[in-house]
Amino acid sequence: MHPAISVILFTVTSGAGFGAVALIGAGYPLSDNPVFFFLTALVAGALAVIGLASSTFHLGHPERAWRAFSQWRSSWLSREGVASVIALTLFGIFVLARLFTDLPTQGLGWAVSAFSIATVFTTSMIYAQLRTVPHWHSWLTPAVYLAFSLASGFLLVAAAGKASALGEIPVALIAMLILLIAWALKIVWWQRAAGASLASRGMTSGSATGLGKIGEVRLLERPHTGGNYLTREMVHQIGRKHAAKLRFIALVIGAALPVVIAAAVAWWEFATPVLGLAFVAMLAGLFVERWLFFAEAKHSVSLYYE
Amino acid sequence: MTLLPAPSTKRLGLVIDLDICVGCHACAVNCKEWNTGGYGAPLGDVDAYGVKPEGAWLNRIHTFEVSPKDSPAQIVHFPKSCLHCQDAPCVTVCPTGASYKRSEDGIVLVDEDRCIGCGLCSWACPYGAREMDPVEKVMKKCTLCIDRIYNDNLAEIDRVPACVRTCPAHARHYGDLGDPNSDVSKMVAERGGFDLMPEAGTRPVNKYLPPRAKTSPNTPPKQSEQTESLEATGFLGWLDKALEKLG
């Protein structure tokens, strides 16, 4: 599949943003200073909004995007739109209520968390629902998206928050643990993907043309000598060539580096804002990981073009 | 509305005979011609007269080579357009309600004024039946020439999809595949018509008829016949032996 920059940017940054929003809603201890609290909330919300805004860049008609709220009964993309707007609206009310009133906000906070997590889940289901792309069509896809969202979101709030430990456990140690779980899930995802070829789902040139009953099927000529929307969007091949190297890069920048930083923070008891470095490294690693998520995925339409 | 309607008894679609198709691309050309002036926005092209022409087509003809185990390879021309699936995944994924399946005849259409051009329906389609228009930025797909088949202003003979009307070899047939007594349904039953990629779970309405089994007049003769024919007699036998002696 074609790895569109806007979609990569969207899924990574809004994942981190909604992860952070979910944790703030769940009551992660942030600064008592109202200005600093507001800025932290602003960064988390902005990441989520930037992601959503960038996702509209790849639309043919962004001016009609409002229509996408209507089909939540059948469409995961529509559900994502609905969930994200509810989550962000509730988050805005939550932040204002915390800043300017003494009203109890914990109930609202849980609702913010629930809708933020639901947003990330619906994003992942846009891909996981597609039977046409066996790489994605698994419950592991939402698991990985949620884990990465919470891990990157946790690094952000941990860097900005006032707590050095939650209960008895140092924040950096928790960060390390979440990072390891998230990347372990991704490695399981990669392992499953290695076995999830089109052929393993029964999709071959033979079944795509129905000619497999006669003999071995091979494409002799494409319909046109030039490319088309389908070949650019779904028969993208460049990414697969360097897949192994890129996975290594993603693991070094997105997993090893943040884990080492978190370990250093835990060991030498650095101030938690140092975890901000881990957040930046992880985000960079996730861009590579997400690029591969698209570039490596094979769509069944390639059976008619390869 | 992107929920699929209750299954209709009428299921309009195409039957494509792979035995007959000669790969002339006339159906694709006539499709492009009709649909650029018919339903919805024109079918856009980019760099149409330049070095890298590209555009939206609703029907494309692929060519495959099939190699049976015990006979020579054969070429099969393979036209492909929307199959108007009964369980159309392109419809349910649409976030705006632009993509829909008609309850009265099962035709899958795009309401272009509602389409935001997100492209998700084209990802959901296993067959590559949907293409984004490069100029209008909305999703384009086969309409089964809905502006022909119900068009009372056309002569009755023309009230079929443009691809069917134009096919010089009669490889394409249009009709109601929900009616077991229709010509197309009978054809499918007689010839063993099949679905493309049934494992995708889409239950296509359109059917394909397989190429008929080839006769093989050029089968090499059996070994025993061969040795027999090599034993020449008479003058040729003498010549054979004489030449053998020369070494």
Side-chain angles (χ1 to χ4, degrees):
Chain A
M1 303 295 288
H2 171 64
I5 297 299
S6 59
V7 177
I8 294 171
L9 205 69
F10 155 60
T11 56
V12 173
T13 56
S14 84
F18 279 112
V21 168
L23 290 162
I24 295 171
Y28 189 92
L30 294 179
S31 172
D32 296 324
N33 179 340
V35 175
F36 202 73
F37 172 81
F38 175 73
L39 285 176
T40 309
L42 190 69
V43 169
L47 278 173
V49 173
I50 290 169
L52 286 176
S54 82
S55 76
T56 59
F57 294 155
H58 83 290
L59 295 182
H61 286 273
E63 79 281 4
R64 297 175 190 158
W66 60 273
R67 290 188 181 276
F69 298 121
S70 65
Q71 302 301 314
W72 49 270
R73 277 186 292 176
S74 72
S75 164
W76 283 106
L77 181 51
S78 181
R79 286 170 197 161
E80 180 199 42
V82 172
S84 64
V85 167
I86 295 176
L88 288 171
T89 309
L90 292 181
F91 184 56
I93 298 169
F94 171 79
V95 171
L96 293 178
R98 279 278 295 269
L99 283 172
F100 301 113
T101 71
D102 292 327
L103 297 170
T105 51
Q106 200 45 59
L108 183 59
W110 286 117
V112 169
S113 288
F115 277 102
S116 299
I117 290 168
T119 305
V120 177
F121 178 71
T122 50
T123 304
S124 68
M125 283 307 292
I126 293 169
Y127 308 107
Q129 70 177 331
L130 296 173
R131 292 174 75 167
T132 49
V133 185
H135 261 203
W136 299 347
H137 190 54
S138 157
W139 63 270
L140 280 165
T141 300
V144 167
Y145 268 72
L146 286 168
F148 278 150
S149 162
L150 286 175
S152 51
F154 188 85
L155 288 175
L156 181 65
V157 292
K162 64 176 179 186
S164 58
L166 293 177
E168 293 293 302
I169 316 164
V171 162
L173 209 61
I174 300 174
M176 234 173 96
L177 205 67
I178 300 180
L179 274 165
L180 288 173
I181 293 171
W183 281 101
L185 272 171
K186 182 66 202 190
I187 288 167
V188 175
W189 190 95
W190 271 329
Q191 259 164 1
R192 180 204 159 270
S197 62
L198 289 165
S200 74
R201 301 295 177 270
M203 294 171 172
T204 60
S205 304
S207 79
T209 58
L211 300 169
K213 281 162 267 177
I214 303 173
E216 201 180 314
V217 179
R218 183 176 77 91
L219 180 73
L220 194 65
E221 260 188 333
R222 286 185 174 193
H224 295 88
T225 48
N228 64 36
Y229 169 75
L230 300 168
T231 57
R232 271 182 288 108
E233 185 80 1
M234 281 167 263
V235 196
H236 181 89
Q237 281 185 308
I238 304 160
R240 293 169 209 155
K241 207 167 86 183
H242 301 298
K245 274 182 223 163
L246 287 167
R247 272 185 199 190
F248 182 73
I249 292 171
L251 281 170
V252 169
I253 305 176
L257 199 55
V259 167
V260 168
I261 294 169
V265 171
W267 185 257
W268 285 294
E269 294 178 1
F270 291 144
T272 47
V274 178
L275 288 172
L277 294 173
F279 173 72
V280 174
M282 183 177 192
L283 232 53
L286 285 183
F287 282 126
V288 180
E289 178 270 335
R290 211 53 52 90
W291 193 86
L292 280 172
F293 177 77
F294 290 97
E296 282 194 280
K298 237 181 153 178
H299 191 284
S300 61
V301 76
S302 62
L303 296 171
Y304 295 105
Y305 281 92
E306 290 179 346
Chain B
M1 183 65 145
T2 55
L3 288 172
L4 288 169
S8 55
T9 47
K10 196 175 178 187
R11 290 199 296 272
L12 297 182
L14 300 174
V15 172
I16 294 166
D17 192 339
L18 297 178
D19 192 60
I20 293 179
C21 177
V22 295
C24 70
H25 291 236
C27 55
V29 174
N30 202 26
C31 167
K32 181 93 171 167
E33 193 276 335
W34 176 266
N35 284 293
T36 213
Y39 178 96
L43 274 178
D45 287 312
V46 173
D47 196 24
Y49 303 98
V51 183
K52 286 179 100 178
E54 205 187 296
W57 294 69
L58 311 184
N59 180 19
R60 291 184 186 261
I61 293 85
H62 304 238
T63 300
F64 290 94
E65 178 195 70
V66 193
S67 309
K69 279 211 173 61
D70 51 357
S71 54
Q74 64 190 80
I75 284 174
V76 178
H77 300 290
F78 187 90
K80 184 165 62 62
S81 52
C82 173
L83 309 170
H84 298 281
C85 301
Q86 296 179 68
D87 290 332
C90 56
V91 169
T92 50
V93 299
C94 176
T96 68
S99 190
Y100 65 104
K101 188 169 175 67
R102 282 160 56 101
S103 54
E104 58 269 47
D105 52 20
I107 297 177
V108 176
L109 286 179
V110 174
D111 179 347
E112 293 178 5
D113 292 335
R114 285 169 176 261
C115 176
I116 56 174
C118 69
L120 187 56
C121 55
S122 70
W123 289 13
C125 172
Y127 310 104
R130 290 172 168 245
E131 298 189 16
M132 187 82 78
D133 190 288
V135 179
E136 291 295 323
K137 307 289 181 199
V138 292
M139 198 51 75
K140 286 293 196 175
K141 70 173 295 300
C142 162
T143 66
L144 209 65
C145 283
I146 194 148
D147 46 356
R148 289 177 69 101
I149 57 177
Y150 293 116
N151 192 340
D152 292 337
N153 295 320
L154 297 178
E156 201 172 341
I157 193 173
D158 287 325
R159 285 180 222 158
V160 293
C163 57
V164 174
R165 185 74 183 93
T166 204
C167 179
H170 291 290
R172 305 179 68 101
H173 306 270
Y174 155 78
D176 180 6
L177 286 141
D179 172 9
N181 295 316
S182 68
D183 288 347
V184 280
S185 294
K186 282 185 204 159
M187 209 181 293
V188 169
E190 275 168 28
R191 293 276 305 282
F194 57 82
D195 290 343
L196 302 188
M197 233 188 279
E199 59 280 356
T202 51
R203 297 201 299 141
V205 169
N206 285 13
K207 303 282 184 240
Y208 283 75
L209 305 181
R212 290 181 172 88
K214 298 281 183 225
T215 51
S216 310
N218 296 326
T219 310
K222 285 178 193 155
Q223 198 63 37
S224 56
E225 290 166 14
Q226 254 178 10
T227 38
E228 230 172 318
S229 65
L230 280 174
E231 304 249 334
T233 51
F235 172 71
L236 281 176
W238 170 82
L239 191 63
D240 185 36
K241 277 173 199 148
L243 287 170
E244 290 278 341
K245 273 178 194 165
L246 283 174

